[in-house]
């Protein structure tokens, strides 16, 4: 598993602080991707499967793109990869013959559940050393940082 040490004791100025936030985000992403490797999923694939599993019905690719906040061409390529892995299948759109929808397969649902279990274990490992109050404070601070309006 990839672990990068991070020294943050000298972080004082905002540019250093934001660089640290970005660095930590990359470290966390690497750790999550590593945790998912045994499932054969990436964060992108897991995210798409999550939306398909939660929808409980096939989704138009445009709807899936909106839900995962990316452009439709990227979703098309992602669905291509998921379909090649037999985790998703394309089905006709009953309301538009020119369109298709993506539907999670039974194998996709099983893989999604395995991926979510891997994510829960990775999260427990990543934040397990933090006290509950520290976790709550971190959640609050990151939420506040994310909601700062652009000027």
């Amino acid at each position: 598993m990839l672990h990068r040490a991070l020294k943050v004791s000298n972080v004082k100025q905002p540019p250093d602080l934001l660089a640290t936030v970005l660095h930590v985000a990359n470290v966390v992403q690497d750790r999550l991707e590593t945790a998912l490797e045994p499932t054969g999923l990436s964060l992108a694939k897991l995210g798409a499967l999550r939306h398909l599993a939660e929808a409980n019905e096939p989704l138009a690719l445009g709807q899936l793109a909106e839900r995962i906040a990316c452009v439709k061409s990227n979703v098309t390529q992602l669905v291509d990869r998921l379909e090649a892995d037999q985790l998703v299948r394309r089905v006709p759109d009953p309301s538009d013959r020119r369109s298709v929808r993506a539907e999670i397969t039974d194998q996709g649902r099983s893989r999604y559940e395995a991926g979510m279990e891997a994510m829960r274990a990775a999260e427990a490992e990543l934040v397990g050393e933090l006290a509950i109050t520290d976790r709550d404070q971190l959640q609050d601070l990151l939420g506040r940082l994310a909601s700062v309006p652009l000027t």
Side-chain angles (χ1 to χ4, degrees), residues 16-36:
D16 290 339
L17 176 61
L18 295 179
T20 300
V21 169
L22 291 173
H23 178 72
V24 169
N26 286 327
V27 170
V28 169
Q29 183 174 350
D30 288 348
R31 299 268 306 266
L32 296 176
E33 291 283 2
T34 298
L36 284 172

Side-chain angles (χ1 to χ4, degrees), residues 16-89:
D16 290 339
L17 176 61
L18 295 179
T20 300
V21 169
L22 291 173
H23 178 72
V24 169
N26 286 327
V27 170
V28 169
Q29 183 174 350
D30 288 348
R31 299 268 306 266
L32 296 176
E33 291 283 2
T34 298
L36 284 172
E37 281 177 4
T39 70
L41 296 175
S42 63
L43 286 170
K45 286 181 178 181
L46 182 66
L49 290 175
R50 179 176 64 89
H51 287 290
L52 292 170
E54 290 175 357
N56 287 317
E57 66 180 355
L59 292 177
L61 300 189
Q63 287 177 299
L64 184 57
E66 286 175 17
R67 292 181 187 196
I68 61 176
C70 75
V71 296
K72 192 174 174 186
S73 61
N74 287 352
V75 166
T76 300
Q77 292 175 20
L78 181 57
V79 169
D80 287 346
R81 292 192 304 272
L82 290 166
E83 191 173 37
D85 293 341
Q86 300 180 345
L87 305 178
V88 166
R89 70 176 144 262

Side-chain angles (χ1 to χ4, degrees), residues 132-143:
I132 297 291
T133 55
D134 291 339
R135 292 180 207 179
D136 291 344
Q137 185 178 19
L138 179 61
Q139 183 83 35
D140 179 59
L141 291 170
L142 291 172

